[in-house]
Structures are given as C-alpha cells and as structure tokens.
Amino acid sequence: MMEEVGEFIGTLEMKAQGHKKSIRIFLTLDDGRKIITPIFWWQTYLGFYYMPIGTKLRLFYSESSLNKIYLEKVEVIGQEQ
C-alpha cells in the first residue's frame, strides 16, 4: 500500500477483483517499489477497469480527511513494449 502523498510514475502489472465493489491494482513504481492500491466504484475505477496491463502511468496520491492515503488521479503516459 502507498504510504506517502505525492506524484509517482509506475506501470500497471495486474488487476484483481476486490471487496465491496472495488478492484485492486498492482503497480511497479519507477523506483522499484511494488504496491497494491484499492480503487472503488465511487471513483469510477479511475479508468482502470478496462486499462491494459503494461500501461505506464503518472499516479497522484493524496491524504483524506481521515488521514488515509488514496489514489486521487491517474494519467496514462503510454504503453510498455
């Protein structure tokens, strides 16, 4: 899980069905870290539902009012070859 706020570059490695109308995305960040991030229906899945594996992304993590880190926004940079 992500434990810091900020902007990161990473690659989508895998997706899995989560609990309570969510999906889990598995990412490898450019610094080598591997993380899992839950994405929920109320976020409209941030486009991950149909995003292909291997997509290169710019990820924006923020802190909620409950002091939890969550993925707020994502931008597609490209596809890995």
Side-chain angles (χ1 to χ4, degrees):
M1 302 293 267
M2 180 55 76
E3 296 178 345
E4 47 185 290
V5 171
E7 180 181 327
F8 304 89
I9 304 293
T11 303
L12 178 61
E13 300 291 343
M14 188 173 83
K15 301 181 279 188
Q17 188 66 39
H19 301 341
K20 299 180 182 176
K21 297 183 183 178
S22 69
I23 57 174
R24 291 175 290 166
I25 58 168
F26 297 75
L27 302 157
T28 300
L29 302 181
D30 278 2
D31 65 8
R33 289 184 286 173
K34 295 182 180 295
I35 61 169
I36 301 170
T37 297
I39 306 294
F40 299 95
W41 66 269
W42 50 266
Q43 294 175 289
T44 60
Y45 301 109
L46 295 174
F48 281 104
Y49 214 84
Y50 298 106
M51 190 179 294
I53 302 302
T55 303
K56 190 85 163 169
L57 305 163
R58 181 173 285 115
L59 307 150
F60 299 89
Y61 284 88
S62 296
E63 188 170 357
S64 74
S65 59
L66 300 173
N67 300 329
K68 298 202 185 258
I69 306 297
Y70 71 100
L71 183 59
E72 178 179 20
K73 186 171 92 170
V74 62
E75 294 175 1
V76 174
I77 297 173
Q79 277 287 94
E80 287 204 346
Q81 301 299 327

